[in-house]
């Protein structure tokens, strides 16, 4: 059983027909059942399809006269169980159709093939293989269009640009390309422009009806979700759209899943995407079947509202972000009571001066309100009992409401860059708030005490509220999971914590410089897994922390220079010792700690606990910028789970020995005193990323030179390749390893693939000299694979922090497995590599392909790269 699936017009039926014509002669009997969806609306229709299948495969004119689909299914199973047959079921849209025509493999004899075409991938769960046709390439689309428009394989002179416009409008969808080609056949050039204008206003009927079939098969809730996405949310974040649609009373989780399964939408990089023609189909459905229910074009909104007085049909108004014409907005300003007649308005998403003055009324049915750049000081929220979400950014609002407002359904509040907002009012009348997000509200000073007792709040995010001084004195938020207070520079104390807050697992307090201590009740947070404390807070009673980032700042200097962003950046880079009250020795109960960042902390070797077994879960340790550290404490070898150790800018560090056995990443860039290391290539089998940029003292010792050379040996790279692991090294030196066989001046290298042996990866090497203006840089590789006149490009970034300060060189190497690059057929092509660092080109570079036969005899150690 084979399934061919995809959106309408993609070519499923065409492929099935071509395949049927090609292979049907190889079977004892065959049948192609077209339009199963269209011809199976009743039991009698199903029986007729069963009779057709029996007649065609048995090659008989016998009338089977099936009265019940169950009987027909039994006959098919009985007659074909020992017969090798080919059966194509075209355009299946319901599991019942398969149940009565081809329920299981056991109905048919060995060697049989059942091919099913459908718009719903969910129906193909029991098939042996599935295939999704792709959109046409530009060349194929142009050829298909030309065949139907000009009856030749390419456009005649004078029609090239018009033909490209046509296939661009068709979005490379085979059906649309074919239909438009037939539509333009025989038309003169001057007529084409008029036709394009008409298509922009109204889609072609044949294309529209074909695409609309998928829409017609949806449930009512799914139709509403689809139309909202088509009109408002194409390209928007899927998570946010789900939240809005849920607030509007739909069921978006299952609804969006169904739309994806039926190829009406796709989700790419967390964004909702939709083919342009499908979106146009959605717009046309709104115009024909749901007129005036959804308004999204500002000029149309303006014309509609001023022309029609009764606005009861309006359910949603969303002005797209791209409609940012200030003059158009200025012209479109409506009266202050414009929403009074919109009794069914659920979704309002506008910006700026949508009304002349502050609106006097918002509809009781309103579920989601988004009004960015709101120009008025207050909002007529009243008691909107059905309101679920509020979003506002860059406005002039000073207060939301006075006293207590009853809003039992309010779940989501996001306020961003509201510089006039000074306090969050009483929210006790909205007990179901789940997410409260306040970003960069710089003049917010106070949060009402009622917030502290919210039982449903899951996320409280107050990043960048620079003047916030007071939170509720006590927090009893039993559902709270995330608390972010980053850059609340003047926040004076962390609230007392209730024992009920077992779900809180993430707290971010970086740059909260005025918080001196954490309350004793902080110990109640037994579920805490991430804590970011760039403050002078105490570390007592922290037991289940996963990520800890302590830093400090001189209080007096901060008070003097807090208002300057530039000065603030300078302050955060200062190297300040841990106060005695924050000694690392007090970190003894962090049994769940996975990441510990002690960068810029001046810690002596003796200050580390002699026994680090309490940190047995630690996977990542960052000690960068420590100018008191001369050598690592011997206890670091006890960290059996440590995978990553970063020591950049530890300028007094002299030696590196006895690292944890399972270390994978070791970075010690700009450790200018480092003069002794061990043979890392032999001692640590999982190590795949090593960086010693500018550690030139290593070159003064013969043993160290040998150890560095070992990191560049072909055998070391092959060991990583055998384990299907990538490799990155950056070490001081001036010579590219000879096993690369051929290196060239400059930063560009082309390698031809002359062998058809199985390639498992490739290695790249670059040599860099000179001074760099930037303190940190990232080696940047542009890789182009060329074959048959076509090229494919990928960009990769290797993060190796470095600061080159002399004419001494640094050698950077990288090994990439084929799984990291989307090239499948390498033979006969060439690999073009361009290597630069922060815009500066490599002095020399080289590359080398790695074949399966190179590593077949090498024992491999596999690991998961962190």
């Amino acid at each position: 059983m084979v399934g061919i699936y995809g959106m309408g017009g993609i070519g499923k039926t065409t492929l099935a027909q071509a395949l049927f014509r090609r292979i049907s002669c190889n079977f004892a009997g065959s049948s192609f059942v077209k339009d199963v969806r269209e011809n199976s609306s009743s039991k009698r229709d199903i029986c007729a399809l069963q009779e057709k299948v029996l007649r065609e495969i048995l090659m008989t004119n016998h009338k089977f006269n099936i009265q019940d689909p169950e009987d027909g299914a039994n006959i098919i199973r009985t007659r074909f169980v020992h017969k090798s047959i080919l059966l194509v079921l075209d355009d299946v849209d319901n599991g019942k159709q398969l149940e009565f025509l081809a329920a299981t493999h056991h109905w048919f004899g060995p060697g049989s093939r059942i091919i099913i075409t459908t718009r719903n991938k969910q129906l193909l769960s029991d098939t042996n293989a599935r295939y999704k046709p792709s959109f046409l390439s530009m060349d194929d689309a142009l050829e298909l269009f030309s065949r139907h428009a000009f009856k030749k394989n390419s456009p005649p002179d004078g029609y090239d640009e018009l033909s490209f416009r046509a296939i661009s409008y068709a979005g490379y969808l085979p059906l649309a390309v074919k239909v438009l080609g037939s539509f333009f056949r025989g038309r003169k050039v001057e007529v084409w422009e008029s036709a394009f204008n008409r298509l922009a206003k109204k889609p072609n009927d044949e294309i529209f009806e074909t695409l609309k079939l998928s829409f017609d098969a949806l449930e009512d809730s799914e139709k509403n979700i689809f139309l909202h996405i088509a009109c408002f949310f194409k390209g928007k974040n899927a998570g946010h759209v789900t939240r809005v649609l849920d607030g509007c009373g739909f069921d978006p989780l299952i609804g969006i899943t169904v739309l994806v399964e039926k190829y009406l939408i796709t989700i790419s990089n967390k964004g909702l995407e939709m083919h342009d023609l499908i979106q146009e189909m959605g717009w046309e459905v709104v115009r024909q079947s749901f007129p005036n229910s959804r308004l999204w074009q500002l000029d149309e909104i303006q014309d509609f509202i001023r022309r029609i007085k009764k606005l009861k049909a309006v359910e949603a108004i969303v002005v797209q972000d791209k409609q940012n014409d200030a003059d158009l907005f200025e012209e479109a300003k409506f009266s202050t009571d414009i929403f009074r007649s919109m009794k069914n308005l659920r979704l309002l998403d506008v910006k700026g001066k949508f009304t002349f003055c502050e609106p006097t009324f918002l509809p009781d049915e309103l579920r989601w309100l988004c009004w960015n750049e709101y120009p008025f000081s207050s909002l007529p929220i009243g008691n909107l009992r059905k309101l679920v979400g509020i979003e506002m950014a860059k406005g002039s609002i000073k207060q939301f409401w006075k006293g207590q407002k009853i809003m039992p359904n309010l779940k989501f509040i996001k306020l961003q860059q509201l510089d006039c907002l000074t306090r969050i009012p009483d929210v006790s009348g909205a007990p179901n708030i789940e997410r409260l997000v306040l970003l960069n509200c710089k003049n917010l000073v106070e949060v009402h005490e009622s917030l502290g007792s919210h039982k449903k709040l899951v996320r409280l995010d107050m990043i960048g509220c620079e003047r916030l001084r007071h939170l509720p004195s006590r927090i009893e938020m039993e559902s709270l999971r995330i608390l972010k207070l980053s850059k609340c520079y003047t926040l004076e104390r962390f609230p007392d914590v209730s024992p009920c807050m077992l779900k809180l697992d993430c707290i971010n307090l970086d740059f909260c410089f005025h918080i001196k201590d954490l309350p004793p009740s902080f110990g109640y947070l037994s579920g805490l897994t991430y804590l970011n404390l760039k403050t002078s807070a105490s570390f007592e009673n922290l037991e289940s922390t996963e990520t800890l980032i302590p830093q400090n700042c001189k209080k007096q200097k901060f008070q003097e220079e807090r208002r300057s962003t530039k000065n603030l950046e300078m302050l955060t880079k200062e190297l300040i010792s841990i106060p005695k009250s924050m000694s690392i020795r007090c970190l003894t109960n962090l049994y769940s700690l996975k990441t510990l960042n002690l960068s810029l902390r001046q810690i002596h070797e003796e200050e580390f606990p002699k026994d680090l077994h309490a940190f047995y879960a630690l996977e990542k340790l960052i000690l960068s910028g420590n100018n008191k550290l001369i050598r690592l404490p011997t206890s670091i070898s006890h960290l059996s789970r440590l995978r990553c150790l970063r020591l950049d800018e530890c300028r007094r560090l002299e030696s590196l020995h006895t690292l944890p056995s399972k270390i994978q990443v070791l970075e010690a860039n700009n450790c200018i005193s480092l003069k002794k290391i061990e043979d890392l290539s032999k001692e640590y089998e999982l190590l795949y990323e090593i960086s010693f940029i500018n550690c030139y003292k290593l070159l003064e010792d013969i043993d160290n030179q040998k150890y560095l050379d070992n990191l560049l040996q072909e055998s070391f790279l092959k060991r990583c390749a055998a384990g299907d692991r990538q490799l990155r090294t950056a070490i001081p030196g001036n010579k590219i390893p000879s096993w690369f066989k051929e290196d060239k001046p400059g930063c560009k290298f082309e390698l031809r693939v002359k062998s058809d042996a199985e390639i498992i990866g490739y290695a790249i090497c670059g040599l860099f000299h000179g001074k760099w203006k930037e303190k940190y840089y990232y080696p940047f590789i542009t890789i182009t694979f060329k074959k048959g006149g076509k090229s494919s490009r990928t960009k990769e970034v290797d993060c190796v922090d470095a600061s080159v300060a002399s004419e001494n060189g640094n050698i950077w190497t990288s090994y990439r497995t084929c799984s990291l690059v989307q090239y499948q057929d390498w033979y006969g092509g060439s690999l073009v590599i361009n290597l630069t660092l922060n815009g500066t080109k490599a002095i020399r570079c080289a590359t080398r392909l790695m074949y399966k036969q190179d590593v077949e005899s090498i024992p491999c150690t596999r690991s998961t790269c962190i």
Side-chain angles (χ1 to χ4, degrees):
M1 286 187 165
V2 178
I4 303 176
Y5 64 95
M7 64 180 287
I10 196 69
K12 302 181 296 297
T13 301
T14 302
L15 284 171
Q17 287 173 331
L19 187 58
F20 184 82
R21 287 193 296 268
R22 182 179 299 178
I23 67 174
S24 58
C25 60
N26 299 326
F27 297 86
S30 61
S31 177
F32 191 111
V33 185
K34 290 192 66 175
D35 302 323
V36 173
R37 172 192 51 79
E38 205 173 299
N39 296 311
S40 58
S41 56
S42 67
K43 281 189 174 184
R44 179 58 240 161
D45 290 339
I46 290 286
C47 292
L49 291 180
Q50 291 173 329
E51 293 171 1
K52 169 183 168 64
V53 169
L54 287 164
R55 284 196 307 272
E56 291 184 353
I57 291 180
L58 296 174
M59 292 179 283
T60 177
N61 292 324
H62 175 70
K63 293 184 178 180
F64 287 90
N65 196 24
I66 299 171
Q67 298 298 318
D68 186 272
E70 293 285 354
D71 295 336
N74 286 329
I75 297 173
I76 290 175
R77 182 168 59 246
T78 303
R79 292 296 187 99
F80 299 153
V81 69
H82 299 299
K83 202 176 186 70
S84 173
I85 64 108
L86 172 63
L87 174 61
V88 177
L89 301 176
D90 177 50
D91 196 16
V92 174
D93 74 336
N94 190 297
K96 284 288 184 183
Q97 297 156 359
L98 293 177
E99 182 181 331
F100 294 127
L101 293 170
T104 74
H105 302 70
H106 306 299
W107 283 23
F108 309 99
S112 295
R113 295 290 184 268
I114 314 301
I115 299 171
I116 303 162
T117 76
T118 181
R119 302 183 186 207
N120 188 354
K121 184 182 179 181
Q122 197 71 10
L123 297 176
L124 304 177
S125 57
D126 292 332
T127 55
N128 301 101
R130 288 168 289 280
Y131 174 71
K132 179 187 176 184
S134 59
F135 293 103
L136 296 171
S137 67
M138 185 176 68
D139 292 341
D140 290 340
L142 186 62
E143 182 177 343
L144 179 62
F145 178 82
S146 299
R147 286 183 182 181
H148 288 273
F150 313 114
K151 294 187 177 181
K152 53 177 66 176
N153 289 340
S154 59
D157 292 341
Y159 284 87
D160 289 21
E161 184 180 344
L162 292 169
S163 298
F164 280 116
R165 284 181 64 186
I167 62 174
S168 178
Y169 172 82
Y172 304 99
L173 183 68
L175 170 74
V177 171
K178 178 180 175 181
V179 169
L180 288 181
S182 300
F183 173 77
F184 282 115
R185 183 187 301 157
R187 300 185 188 274
K188 296 182 179 179
V189 171
E190 54 268 22
V191 179
W192 285 51
E193 193 65 44
S194 175
F196 283 130
N197 291 334
R198 191 174 84 180
L199 286 170
K201 298 175 184 177
K202 185 178 183 298
N204 175 276
D205 288 341
E206 185 176 348
I207 298 172
F208 171 75
E209 292 298 335
T210 300
L211 297 177
K212 187 173 177 287
L213 291 174
S214 295
F215 173 82
D216 292 336
L218 300 173
E219 300 291 338
D220 288 344
S221 177
E222 294 158 3
K223 288 180 178 179
N224 277 309
I225 292 170
F226 169 77
L227 295 177
H228 266 57
I229 295 173
C231 296
F232 308 138
F233 299 129
K234 180 182 176 182
K236 302 293 185 181
N237 178 271
H240 181 68
V241 173
T242 298
R243 197 176 299 122
V244 175
L245 293 173
D246 185 54
C248 291
F250 304 121
D251 298 305
L253 288 176
I254 181 62
I256 289 176
T257 300
V258 170
L259 297 181
V260 170
E261 290 172 353
K262 297 195 173 183
Y263 297 94
L264 288 168
I265 65 171
T266 58
I267 298 178
S268 176
N269 294 324
K270 298 183 180 180
L272 294 176
E273 299 297 340
M274 177 182 289
H275 193 279
D276 289 346
L277 291 179
I278 291 182
Q279 184 180 37
E280 288 188 14
M281 179 269 289
W283 293 345
E284 190 62 22
V285 168
V286 171
R287 295 186 185 105
Q288 291 182 11
S289 304
F290 306 94
N292 307 327
S293 64
R294 295 164 178 84
L295 305 176
W296 65 94
Q297 294 289 346
L298 189 57
D299 53 349
E300 291 183 6
I301 295 171
Q302 181 182 4
D303 178 66
F304 171 74
I305 291 179
R306 290 182 174 168
R307 183 168 42 86
I308 300 175
K309 302 300 180 184
K310 295 181 179 180
L311 304 175
K312 189 176 181 180
V314 179
E315 296 179 12
I317 299 176
V318 177
V319 178
Q320 304 288 355
D321 294 339
K322 59 186 177 183
Q323 299 181 58
N324 56 7
D325 190 323
D327 293 334
L328 198 58
F329 267 98
E330 191 69 24
E331 184 183 331
K333 289 187 295 187
F334 301 109
S335 66
T336 56
D337 64 347
I338 186 61
F339 303 113
R340 191 169 293 278
S341 59
M342 298 182 186
K343 303 294 185 182
N344 293 308
L345 186 67
R346 292 186 177 191
L347 171 61
L348 178 63
D349 186 345
V350 294
K351 63 185 291 188
K353 290 188 176 182
F354 191 78
T355 56
F356 280 105
C357 298
E358 179 184 314
T360 57
F361 175 85
L362 290 174
D364 293 339
E365 290 294 320
L366 193 63
R367 310 293 180 87
W368 200 276
L369 171 63
C370 179
W371 198 324
N372 293 329
E373 300 177 27
Y374 184 75
F376 313 114
S377 61
S378 61
L379 190 67
I381 285 183
N383 290 318
L384 293 178
R385 302 184 70 88
K386 295 184 179 181
L387 190 66
V388 175
I390 302 173
E391 294 179 89
M392 303 189 80
K394 299 181 180 179
S396 301
I397 193 164
K398 293 182 179 179
Q399 62 180 20
F400 280 93
W401 59 78
K402 294 181 180 179
Q404 185 188 71
K405 297 294 182 183
I406 307 301
M407 289 182 285
N409 288 296
L410 188 62
K411 294 182 179 180
F412 180 88
I413 300 176
K414 183 178 182 180
L415 311 175
Q416 188 171 352
Q417 292 180 265
L418 299 183
D419 292 343
C420 297
L421 189 68
T422 59
R423 63 188 302 272
I424 297 299
D426 186 346
V427 291
S428 59
N432 293 306
I433 296 176
E434 296 177 359
R435 294 167 67 100
L436 176 57
V437 180
L438 303 168
L439 300 178
N440 299 312
C441 295
K442 296 183 178 181
N443 292 303
L444 184 69
V445 175
E446 182 183 356
V447 175
H448 195 274
E449 193 72 20
S450 61
L451 182 65
S453 58
H454 257 260
K455 305 300 183 185
K456 298 290 183 70
L457 194 66
V458 175
R459 178 172 186 144
L460 177 58
D461 192 336
M462 303 184 72
I463 294 176
C465 296
E466 298 178 358
R467 295 190 178 182
L468 180 68
R469 292 191 177 185
H470 303 292
L471 287 173
S473 58
R474 179 179 172 84
I475 50 176
E476 303 177 69
M477 304 174 180
E478 60 189 36
S479 299
L480 193 68
R481 292 182 179 275
I482 298 173
L483 175 60
K484 292 189 176 182
L485 300 169
S486 175
K487 299 181 183 178
C488 293
Y489 302 133
T490 54
L491 187 62
E492 295 176 354
R493 64 179 295 273
F494 192 87
D496 287 325
V497 176
S498 166
C500 73
M501 296 185 59
L502 302 178
K503 293 183 179 179
L504 186 58
D505 64 3
C506 173
I507 296 180
N508 191 334
L509 293 171
D510 67 322
F511 302 111
C512 294
F513 299 120
H514 276 57
I515 295 181
K516 298 177 182 178
D517 296 292
L518 297 174
S521 58
F522 203 84
Y524 289 137
L525 302 177
S526 59
L528 198 63
T529 59
Y530 178 95
L531 175 61
N532 186 333
L533 276 178
K534 294 181 180 176
T535 72
S536 57
S538 169
F539 285 106
E540 296 177 2
N541 302 316
L542 311 183
E543 293 190 355
S544 181
T545 304
E546 187 169 291
T547 300
L548 179 64
I549 311 175
Q551 282 192 287
N552 189 25
C553 184
K554 292 180 179 177
K555 180 178 177 181
Q556 182 178 359
K557 190 171 183 179
F558 169 71
Q559 288 176 328
E560 295 172 354
E561 302 184 346
R562 174 174 57 84
R563 297 178 183 275
S564 169
T565 303
K566 184 176 181 181
N567 287 335
L568 182 61
E569 289 176 354
M570 292 171 62
L571 286 171
T572 61
K573 293 177 182 177
E574 289 189 2
L575 306 181
I576 304 169
S577 298
I578 294 181
K580 293 181 180 179
S581 62
M582 291 176 63
S583 171
I584 191 175
R585 290 183 178 275
C586 72
L587 305 179
T588 57
N589 298 318
L590 305 180
Y591 298 110
S592 298
L593 192 71
K594 290 188 176 180
T595 299
L596 177 61
N597 187 331
L598 293 171
S599 57
L600 302 182
R601 295 296 175 177
Q602 308 312 300
I603 311 170
H604 287 288
E605 174 195 354
E606 306 84 51
E607 293 182 80
F608 282 87
K610 292 183 179 180
D611 182 0
L612 288 176
H613 286 298
F615 294 85
Y616 76 95
L618 199 66
E619 295 179 358
K620 187 174 184 180
L621 177 61
I622 303 174
L623 297 170
S624 301
N626 185 341
N627 282 342
K628 289 187 176 180
L629 191 66
I630 296 176
R631 63 185 61 83
L632 291 177
T634 56
S635 57
I636 201 170
S637 62
H638 301 162
L639 301 177
S640 60
R641 297 189 182 183
L642 195 71
R643 301 291 182 269
C644 176
L645 177 61
R646 291 204 166 112
L647 299 160
D648 298 332
E649 309 285 341
C650 292
R651 295 180 177 270
R652 295 184 65 191
L653 183 69
E654 295 181 358
S655 64
L656 275 177
H657 290 281
T658 61
L659 300 174
S661 60
K662 294 185 179 180
I663 192 79
Q664 294 180 17
V665 176
L666 175 62
E667 291 187 6
N669 300 307
N670 294 313
C671 294
I672 57 176
S673 300
L674 186 63
K675 54 188 178 183
K676 197 66 181 175
I677 60 173
E678 54 189 322
D679 192 348
L680 299 168
S681 67
K682 294 182 179 179
E683 299 294 331
Y684 305 100
E685 293 185 345
L686 300 180
L687 197 59
Y688 73 91
E689 183 171 329
I690 309 128
S691 185
F692 292 120
I693 294 281
N694 298 336
C695 299
Y696 296 119
K697 281 199 172 183
L698 291 175
L699 300 176
E700 297 174 3
D701 181 271
I702 295 176
D703 288 337
N704 289 332
Q705 289 183 26
K706 182 174 67 174
Y707 299 154
L708 290 175
D709 285 343
N710 288 345
L711 295 177
L712 296 177
Q713 292 299 314
E714 185 178 17
S715 58
F716 182 52
L717 179 139
K718 285 184 176 181
R719 193 178 76 191
C720 289
D724 195 30
R725 292 185 287 130
Q726 56 180 319
L727 170 68
R728 286 194 292 262
T729 63
I731 62 175
N734 279 293
K735 186 177 180 182
I736 289 177
S738 60
W739 59 265
F740 274 95
K741 296 182 181 178
E742 182 181 3
D743 66 280
K744 294 184 177 180
C747 65
K748 191 173 183 179
F749 198 103
E750 180 168 352
L751 183 66
R752 298 192 179 278
V753 185
K754 300 177 181 180
S755 170
D756 60 354
E758 184 177 349
I759 298 172
I760 60 172
Y762 57 94
I764 304 168
C765 185
L767 173 62
F768 298 90
H769 281 176
K771 296 181 179 180
W772 301 90
K773 296 180 181 178
E774 299 290 338
K775 185 175 182 180
Y776 298 103
Y777 65 83
Y778 305 97
F780 188 79
I781 317 169
T782 302
I783 303 172
T784 305
F785 181 67
K786 294 181 178 180
K787 185 177 180 180
K790 296 183 179 181
S791 64
S792 300
R793 173 173 292 187
T794 185
K795 294 179 179 178
E796 302 177 14
V797 176
D798 285 88
C799 301
V800 179
D801 293 348
S803 175
V804 179
S806 71
E807 287 302 317
N808 291 313
N810 289 288
I811 302 168
W812 175 84
T813 62
S814 176
Y815 171 74
R816 300 301 216 187
T817 64
C818 286
S819 60
L820 295 174
V821 185
Q822 302 301 314
Y823 306 141
Q824 295 180 351
D825 183 11
W826 299 68
Y827 178 57
S830 60
L831 206 62
V832 181
I833 297 170
N834 198 303
L835 181 60
T836 58
L837 293 176
N838 203 30
T840 304
K841 298 178 179 180
I843 302 300
R844 299 189 71 84
C845 66
T847 188
R848 158 80 184 274
L849 290 174
M850 191 64 62
Y851 297 91
K852 186 176 181 180
Q853 64 193 39
D854 293 333
V855 299
E856 285 179 334
S857 61
I858 299 175
C860 65
T861 303
R862 295 183 180 272
S863 69
T864 302
C865 296
I866 59 174

